[in-house]
Amino acid sequence: MLKKFIIPVVILAIALGAYRMMTTPSDKPGGARAAAPVSAPTPEPAQEESTQVEPTQAQAKPGDEASTTTAKAETPAAAEPKPSARSGRGGGFRGAGRFGNQAATSVEVIPALADKTRAQLDLFGVIEAQHHTRLTATSNARVLALNINEGQSVQQGQSLLSLAAESASEALAQRRSARQELDARMRNETLKHGNDQATLDIDRELLRIAKNSVDRFTSLNSQQLTSGSDYEAALRAYQMQLMSVQKRELTLAQYKDQMLQMQAQRDALASQIRLAEQLVADLQVTAPFTGLVAKVAVSQGQELRSGDVLVELYDPTSLALFVRVPLRYRLDQLDSALISAIDSHGQAWQVQALRPINESGAQRLTLVPNATSSVPLLPGSHVALTLSYPIAEPAVEVPVTAVYDQQRVYLFEGGVIVAADIEILGRTDQGYLVRSAEFSDQAAVVTTRLKTPVSGMAVAIVTRTDGARP
C-alpha cells in the first residue's frame, strides 16, 4: 500500500517542478537573480513595514553611506511582488516562459484577386489509330511466305503472306463431292418419278382386267360351271394388282416432300462449301485497306492455330490523341471549339470529340493534329499536352506552395492564419486557379509553405509578392 501511494506522489512532484522551470521567466542580462523562494512570502501590515524602515534610515551614520545606498537599491527589488502559481500557468500559454519568447513564423502573402479567366491543364495522352485491324488465322495452317515487313506501306488488296492448310482444302473437296452425290440422287428421283407416273396408268388398266376376271369367275362359280380354285386365283391376282397401284400412288405422293428434303440438304452443303472456299481463300492474306503494317506476329514456316494473330494494320490518316481529364474539370460543359491544346513539340491539336464520363470515371478527349506533324506519330506513344480552356468565372491564381491536399489554402487575418476551403478550376504556368466562398477583396493568401499549419497559428508578414513590406 505504501508503494502505491509514494510512486504517484513522486511523479507528480517531478512534473510540477519541470513545469515551474518552463514557466519561470528567464533572467535579464546584467540583472541580479532574485533570492526569494518560489512560494509567495506572507504579507505584513503596511504600518509595521514603514516603522521598521524609518528608524533604520534615521539611525544611519554619515560613514555608512555605501550601505545605505545598497539598501535603497535592493529594497525595490525585494518589494516587487512575486507571480502567483495561477499567473505562472496562464503565462505559459499566453507568451510567458520559454515558449512565449519564440518569434512568430515569417510568411509571404498575395492578395486574393480573382482576375484569371482561362485555365491550363498539363496532361499525358496516348496516340491511337481510329481505323485499325488485326488479321488472324481462320484455321490451323502453316506460313508459306511473308511478303511484307513492319512499318511498310501497303495498298488495299495487296498480298501480305501466304498460308498452307491441307485440312481446309480436303474439307472443301469433300463437301463438293457430297454435293455432286446429292445432285445425282435428285436427278435419279426425278427420272423415277416420271417413270412412276407413266407406269401408274398401266397398273390401273391391269387392275381393271383383274377385277373383270374376278367378276366373271364369280358368275360362273354361282352357276357351278367352274371350280373354286380358279375363282380364288383370279381374286388373288386382283388383290396383288390393287396393292401395286396403291404403292405406286404413294410413291408419287411422296416425291414432292423427298425433293424438298434433298434441296435443303443441298443448300446446307452449298453453305459449307462457301465457308470452305473462304477458308482456302484466307490462306492468301491480303490488306483490307491502304495503310501501314504496325506488326508482323508470325515468321515463315511457323505452324499456326485458328485465331492466332498474323498482322496488325492501321490507317495513318486516322491517328488521334486520346486524353483522360479528371472529372472535376468539367470540360464536357464547354464548347469544344473553345479548348486549345499544344504538345511538348509545339504541335497544335484540336478537339474532335469529348466523351463526358467513361468506365474509369474520367472525361475522354479525342484530339487530332491541326496540320501535318513534323514529329512522326506512332500508335501507342505518349505525348505531353497542355490544354487551355475558359472558366465560368474569374479565379485567383496561387502558387503550388499555397495549396494543401488539393482542397484548402490559408488566409492571413489579424496576425494569424485561417484555413479556407477551395475548388481547383485548373492550372497555369505559376500554379493553380482556385475559387472559394471565403475570398474577398481584402483577403491575403499565405504562399509560404508551412510544415504543420493550423488555423489560429501566429505568423508575421515579411514580404508581399509585389515587393511591398507590411
Side-chain angles (χ1 to χ4, degrees):
M1 293 297 292
L2 185 59
K3 289 183 178 180
K4 293 183 179 180
F5 175 76
I6 293 177
I7 292 175
V9 171
V10 172
I11 294 175
L12 181 60
I14 293 174
L16 181 59
Y19 179 73
R20 287 180 175 177
M21 288 177 64
M22 289 189 296
T23 57
T24 301
S26 301
D27 297 336
K28 297 182 179 180
R33 179 181 299 273
V38 176
S39 58
T42 305
E44 298 179 356
Q47 293 180 357
E48 295 180 1
E49 182 179 356
S50 60
T51 303
Q52 294 176 358
V53 173
E54 290 177 358
T56 304
Q57 296 177 354
Q59 295 174 2
K61 296 180 181 180
D64 297 334
E65 293 178 1
S67 43
T68 303
T69 304
T70 304
K72 290 182 178 180
E74 293 178 355
T75 300
E80 187 177 0
K82 303 293 181 179
S84 63
R86 178 180 180 85
S87 62
R89 288 195 298 271
F93 290 96
R94 298 180 182 176
R98 299 180 181 178
F99 295 148
N101 293 333
Q102 295 179 357
T105 303
S106 299
V107 296
E108 295 182 354
V109 298
I110 59 172
L113 298 179
D115 57 354
K116 301 294 182 180
T117 59
R118 197 167 183 86
Q120 293 179 354
L121 276 178
D122 295 329
L123 302 168
F124 281 94
V126 180
I127 299 294
E128 295 180 7
Q130 300 182 82
H131 186 198
H132 66 280
T133 186
R134 179 179 296 174
L135 304 178
T136 59
T138 55
S139 62
N140 296 343
R142 179 171 51 87
V143 180
L144 284 180
L146 283 175
N147 304 323
I148 44 88
N149 297 314
E150 291 186 359
Q152 178 180 340
S153 297
V154 294
Q155 300 297 320
Q156 182 176 2
Q158 179 178 340
S159 176
L160 304 179
L161 62 151
S162 299
L163 305 177
E166 296 179 357
S167 59
S169 301
E170 291 178 357
L172 177 59
Q174 290 175 0
R175 286 170 174 77
R176 285 176 175 174
S177 298
R179 184 176 62 177
Q180 292 176 357
E181 180 183 358
L182 184 61
D183 289 342
R185 286 175 54 195
M186 293 178 67
R187 290 193 300 270
N188 190 27
E189 288 295 331
T190 301
L191 292 175
K192 183 179 178 182
H193 178 69
N195 182 65
D196 288 342
Q197 286 180 331
T199 307
L200 179 61
D201 295 336
I202 298 175
D203 288 342
R204 287 175 178 174
E205 180 64 20
L206 293 176
L207 178 63
R208 186 184 63 79
I209 294 173
K211 186 176 184 305
N212 292 337
S213 178
V214 170
D215 292 341
R216 186 173 60 257
F217 277 107
T218 300
S219 175
L220 294 174
N221 190 28
S222 61
Q223 298 175 9
Q224 296 182 353
L225 298 176
T226 184
S227 62
S229 59
D230 294 335
Y231 171 76
E232 292 177 356
L235 181 60
R236 186 180 301 107
Y238 168 75
Q239 291 178 347
M240 292 181 62
Q241 188 62 34
L242 177 62
M243 291 176 60
S244 177
V245 171
Q246 292 176 346
K247 183 178 180 181
R248 197 169 300 278
E249 289 177 346
L250 178 62
T251 301
L252 291 173
Q254 291 177 340
Y255 170 76
K256 185 176 182 180
D257 291 338
Q258 289 178 349
M259 292 301 295
L260 289 175
Q261 291 178 356
M262 287 188 288
Q263 184 62 42
Q265 294 176 6
R266 192 179 190 282
D267 293 341
L269 280 173
S271 177
Q272 294 174 4
I273 290 173
R274 286 193 298 269
L275 291 176
E277 290 175 344
Q278 184 63 43
L279 290 176
V280 173
D282 290 341
L283 297 177
Q284 298 297 324
V285 182
T286 58
F289 55 83
T290 300
L292 290 176
V293 179
K295 182 179 180 181
V296 178
V298 296
S299 58
Q300 187 168 349
Q302 180 178 343
E303 295 290 338
L304 303 175
R305 293 184 179 181
S306 178
D308 287 349
V309 178
L310 303 174
V311 179
E312 294 184 14
L313 297 176
Y314 72 93
D315 184 358
T317 62
S318 68
L319 291 179
L321 180 62
F322 294 89
V323 180
R324 290 183 178 180
V325 182
L327 189 58
R328 65 171 177 266
Y329 307 110
R330 297 308 303 267
L331 299 186
D332 57 312
Q333 299 177 356
L334 301 176
D335 184 357
S336 60
L338 301 177
I339 305 174
S340 61
I342 187 169
D343 62 21
S344 57
H345 302 288
Q347 171 68 46
W349 298 76
Q350 63 183 8
V351 178
Q352 185 183 61
L354 194 155
R355 185 187 301 175
I357 301 176
N358 62 8
E359 62 279 358
S360 64
Q363 303 165 95
R364 179 174 177 177
L365 288 178
T366 303
L367 302 102
V368 294
N370 287 341
T372 303
S373 176
S374 58
V375 179
L377 303 177
L378 297 176
S381 57
H382 290 74
V383 177
L385 192 75
T386 299
L387 292 179
S388 178
Y389 58 95
I391 53 180
E393 60 185 48
V396 178
E397 182 179 13
V398 298
V400 177
T401 56
V403 178
Y404 295 83
D405 298 331
Q406 301 285 313
Q407 60 184 1
R408 67 179 179 276
V409 297
Y410 287 90
L411 305 178
F412 178 80
E413 294 182 3
V416 298
I417 59 173
V418 179
D421 294 331
I422 60 170
E423 177 185 359
I424 297 178
L425 303 180
R427 293 199 62 168
T428 65
D429 294 338
Q430 306 300 324
Y432 292 104
L433 288 180
V434 301
R435 64 182 174 188
S436 173
E438 301 178 45
F439 287 171
S440 64
D441 295 338
Q442 293 76 28
V445 180
V446 176
T447 60
T448 302
R449 190 70 178 183
L450 301 174
K451 186 175 182 181
T452 54
V454 179
S455 293
M457 176 180 173
V459 296
I461 300 177
V462 290
T463 309
R464 296 180 182 272
T465 301
D466 54 7
R469 293 187 175 274

